[in-house]
Amino acid sequence: MILQQDLSIVSNKVIAKDTYEMVLEGDLVQQIKRPGQFIHIKIGEGFSHMLRRPFSIADYSLETNQLVIIYKVIGEGSKWLSKQSDQSFINVLGPLGNGFEIDHLANQNVLVVGGGVGVPPLYALTKQLSQRNDVKAVLGYQSSDSVFYEEKFNKYANTTVATNDGSYGEEGFVTDVINQMQNQVDYYFACGPLIMLGAIQLQLRDTQGLLSVEERMGCGVGACFACVCEADNEKGYVKICQDGPVFHSNEVTLYESIS
Amino acid sequence: MNLSVDLGGLQLKNPIMPASGCFGFGKEFSQFYDLSELGAVVIKAATGEQRFGNPTPRVAETPSGMLNAIGLQNPGVDKIMEQELPFLDSYDTPIFANVAGSTLEEYVQVAEKLSQHPTIKALELNISCPNVKEGGIQFGTDPNLAYELTRAVKQVSKKPLFVKLSPNVTDITELARAVEEAGADGLSMINTLTGMAIDKQTRKPLIANETGGLSGPAIKPIAIRMIHQVREQTDLPIIGMGGICTADDVIEFLLAGSNAVAVGTANFHNPLVCKEIIDELPEALKRYKFTSLDELREVAVS
């Protein structure tokens, strides 16, 4: 069930360049079904900011009633969020979207690929996948100061970090790392910029996978048709907020839209 | 307090309805509250055939508002009647259909089909969508075209017809007069104002369509002014809209001359906003020393 609720901020701290980790607590957490779902956060006081901002859930615990989001300060909304202090409340709509379906996977070689702010939802996913599968994670960042969560991922997956400028880990894009991989991949998961998702979908086109897609959103619940994406289904489109944000690699074709 | 209103012969239990395009076909919002609490529901625009709309991004936030250029994405009038209307039938609230098109013939065809459907209690004629290349706003900015279209639709529809006016004109009263002469049963106003915003980093427009319709509290004073201007010229019922977020806003729109109001962008900010406004309206009316909606309306017309 989708709830609209004030969640309390347990912590809100910098973990990399312009990148914050925020821990939120409240009963809404009990409604989270699986990794890859997201929350829609109200920004500011009154009606100065009419659109909520969607953030993927990086981690959650039904025991502690807490969830984690990781966000980069880019515009006014994320700047406002970064200034919110511990113990204050923010208004959250969620959990939204369907997330990563992983119940069918066991004893598989799984590849998890994240780029920048696309990395967060893969963390809870990797934790859960690692219980029954062999997981390899490839995480791409701009440079050494923007790297986050490497050690956390390492606990659950054989993790390789790549930076665009080579200042940390492998030099280049996540696709360069995947190119050099020897082991066979049975299934993959990816989240990141559209251009990265398209490149991976093309690179791994003979492998089944799930892609988490982002788009600027309006309502977040499927009513406004702001975040649609062309799809290979009867309707010809999917709504990213409601039908996604995770889609099967057969369903959405991302590499055509970026070429 | 009795909040019921008579809107061109339609009895609404209260003057609050969600605005077309901001509420889909109701299903998504029905998980937040009982849609029967609403004065009415205005569903997303229907066109003759299905439309996929504009490229993304389709929305962008602006100060106290937003730009949108969805582009009338909808499954087409036949699929709407077949797949969307049955769900709304189970709610005790009148359903308004929003009629759009590229040509006069398309508008007439869509209006005729929807007006014959038992679930639909009234039509809203969308002559003011700023986000499609053909039709839409052309009919809403030329009084002659608006007259012709309204007349043509009136001839095929027996349901009350509300014409949704565009604020992207020099004199909105001219358009209001034209559609009244053509037989409109009421007016819906205002649609969004054409706007644009540019990303300083990429140096490109924030929405793919370049321009979009501006909505939200940012346009509220314009809506109030235009409703006031039109109210001085006509007795037609007016559904007022443009940035309504609170029960106080509703009172302001009623004072300007609206008979009912539609809530749009605020549904994205708070999915429960329509229900909350309905619940708060009696208290808000008392705060401004009104004992009934009728009393407020008497003040508004004087």
Side-chain angles (χ1 to χ4, degrees):
Chain A
M1 190 163 90
I2 301 170
L3 299 176
Q4 185 185 205
Q5 218 169 59
D6 290 332
L7 299 193
S8 69
I9 299 173
V10 177
S11 67
N12 188 18
K13 61 174 194 240
V14 179
I15 55 167
K17 187 188 176 210
D18 299 329
T19 309
Y20 286 70
E21 177 199 69
M22 181 183 263
V23 180
L24 297 168
E25 188 173 322
D27 290 339
L28 182 148
V29 173
Q30 298 300 323
Q31 303 295 328
I32 299 172
K33 293 277 180 294
R34 55 178 81 91
Q37 290 186 286
F38 68 97
I39 57 174
H40 220 18
I41 296 181
K42 181 144 101 186
I43 301 297
E45 297 300 315
F47 303 99
S48 54
H49 295 276
M50 291 304 290
L51 292 182
R52 288 169 177 265
R53 304 295 196 272
F55 294 96
S56 59
I57 298 166
D59 199 9
Y60 63 97
S61 161
L62 302 181
E63 285 76 45
T64 61
N65 230 14
Q66 293 182 349
L67 68 83
V68 181
I69 60 165
I70 294 166
Y71 60 95
K72 197 163 181 182
V73 176
I74 291 167
E76 280 180 44
S78 46
K79 190 189 279 177
W80 178 85
L81 207 56
S82 72
K83 299 219 162 83
Q84 301 311 298
S85 50
D86 300 358
Q87 312 310 323
S88 59
F89 288 84
I90 54 169
N91 188 267
V92 174
L93 180 68
L96 302 175
N98 299 307
F100 296 106
E101 183 69 70
I102 59 167
D103 293 347
H104 63 290
L105 289 178
N107 307 315
Q108 303 282 301
N109 286 316
V110 178
L111 174 66
V112 167
V113 191
V117 287
V119 169
L122 303 175
Y123 178 59
L125 171 73
T126 298
K127 270 169 96 172
Q128 294 192 14
L129 279 172
S130 68
Q131 290 169 10
R132 298 199 295 166
N133 301 277
D134 189 28
V135 188
K136 181 167 172 48
V138 178
L139 310 178
Y141 303 89
Q142 271 177 345
S143 59
S144 62
D145 55 3
S146 49
V147 176
F148 61 88
Y149 267 43
E150 184 190 7
E151 286 148 46
K152 286 186 172 248
F153 270 89
N154 246 326
K155 264 194 243 171
Y156 303 100
N158 175 359
T159 305
T160 306
V161 168
T163 52
N164 297 359
D165 62 2
S167 56
Y168 190 88
E170 306 284 317
E171 180 173 354
F173 298 113
V174 289
T175 42
D176 299 327
V177 177
I178 296 167
N179 260 336
Q180 287 162 20
M181 276 175 24
Q182 303 297 322
N183 357 15
Q184 175 228 340
V185 173
D186 299 318
Y187 208 90
Y188 76 94
F189 297 85
C191 183
L194 196 58
I195 194 150
M196 183 202 97
L197 291 179
I200 290 166
Q201 191 181 25
L202 194 59
Q203 190 176 23
L204 300 175
R205 60 187 173 280
D206 298 325
T207 309
Q208 303 269 314
L210 292 178
L211 306 163
S212 181
V213 182
E214 73 168 5
E215 181 56 80
R216 221 178 291 154
M217 288 180 185
C219 67
V221 297
C224 78
F225 288 78
C227 63
V228 297
C229 176
E230 268 185 57
D232 208 0
N233 62 16
E234 196 197 336
K235 291 186 295 183
Y237 69 90
V238 286
K239 294 187 257 185
I240 291 172
C241 65
Q242 188 183 36
D243 304 323
V246 175
F247 297 100
H248 195 275
S249 53
N250 292 340
E251 192 177 9
V252 290
T253 308
L254 300 172
Y255 51 86
E256 278 175 2
S257 58
I258 57 167
S259 61
Chain B
M1 191 183 290
N2 178 11
L3 294 179
S4 66
V5 293
D6 178 319
L7 191 69
L10 280 171
Q11 296 301 315
L12 312 189
K13 55 175 80 106
N14 63 64
I16 315 297
M17 64 188 87
S20 180
C22 300
F23 209 71
F25 299 99
K27 211 171 274 171
E28 290 79 16
F29 285 87
S30 70
Q31 54 192 325
F32 297 107
Y33 59 90
D34 181 359
L35 301 185
S36 297
E37 296 196 35
L38 295 165
V41 169
V42 192
I43 59 175
K44 189 165 169 54
T47 52
E49 303 297 329
Q50 69 170 353
R51 291 203 191 188
F52 289 109
N54 290 321
T56 58
R58 294 174 168 186
V59 293
E61 191 182 76
T62 57
S64 296
M66 66 176 281
L67 291 167
N68 92 80
I70 308 296
L72 296 181
Q73 180 164 12
N74 79 97
V77 63
D78 294 332
K79 281 221 171 103
I80 289 175
M81 293 195 298
E82 187 188 310
Q83 294 170 0
E84 306 290 350
L85 295 186
F87 170 78
L88 289 164
D89 238 358
S90 56
Y91 293 98
D92 172 29
T93 187
I95 309 300
F96 285 49
N98 184 289
V99 176
S102 299
T103 60
L104 185 137
E105 291 72 27
E106 186 181 0
Y107 274 104
V108 168
Q109 177 212 348
V110 173
E112 186 167 19
K113 285 183 178 177
L114 286 166
S115 75
Q116 286 168 3
H117 198 286
T119 306
I120 300 300
K121 298 296 182 291
L123 300 182
E124 181 176 67
L125 191 61
N126 187 352
I127 58 167
S128 42
C129 177
N131 298 324
V132 287
K133 292 211 164 49
E134 290 171 332
I137 202 163
Q138 279 168 271
F139 291 99
T141 49
D142 179 336
N144 295 323
L145 285 178
Y147 176 89
E148 291 302 333
L149 180 61
T150 305
R151 228 171 63 123
V153 169
K154 266 309 279 183
Q155 279 166 3
V156 297
S157 165
K158 289 180 182 60
K159 304 271 167 76
L161 179 69
F162 288 78
V163 179
K164 190 164 184 176
L165 300 182
S166 171
N168 300 300
V169 292
T170 309
D171 181 3
I172 198 164
T173 63
E174 242 188 295
L175 274 300
R177 272 196 305 270
V179 300
E180 181 172 20
E181 279 166 28
D185 301 291
L187 304 169
S188 257
M189 58 187 292
I190 58 175
N191 206 319
T192 57
L193 287 122
T194 314
M196 184 169 170
I198 299 170
D199 185 325
K200 273 70 73 184
Q201 295 287 346
T202 63
R203 304 172 184 183
K204 287 180 180 152
L206 272 170
I207 49 180
N209 190 53
E210 296 196 347
T211 61
L214 179 66
S215 64
I219 70 165
K220 198 182 82 177
I222 299 169
I224 296 290
R225 183 262 293 180
M226 288 187 162
I227 291 163
H228 175 71
Q229 282 181 318
V230 169
R231 177 46 79 218
E232 287 183 327
Q233 305 260 334
T234 177
D235 292 326
L236 284 182
I238 295 175
I239 305 170
M241 68 199 74
I244 294 172
C245 294
T246 64
D248 272 38
D249 293 339
V250 173
I251 293 174
E252 194 177 345
F253 272 78
L254 297 178
L255 282 170
S258 310
N259 301 73
V261 299
V263 180
T265 307
N267 288 293
F268 305 160
H269 192 252
N270 171 11
L272 286 150
V273 69
C274 287
K275 180 193 157 43
E276 289 177 7
I277 288 175
I278 293 164
D279 291 346
E280 285 160 18
L281 193 53
E283 275 307 311
L285 285 164
K286 277 183 217 157
R287 209 178 320 127
Y288 295 104
K289 315 270 186 264
F290 294 112
T291 54
S292 70
L293 276 178
D294 286 337
E295 198 182 312
L296 192 164
R297 271 190 292 270
E298 279 163 32
V299 181
V301 290
S302 68

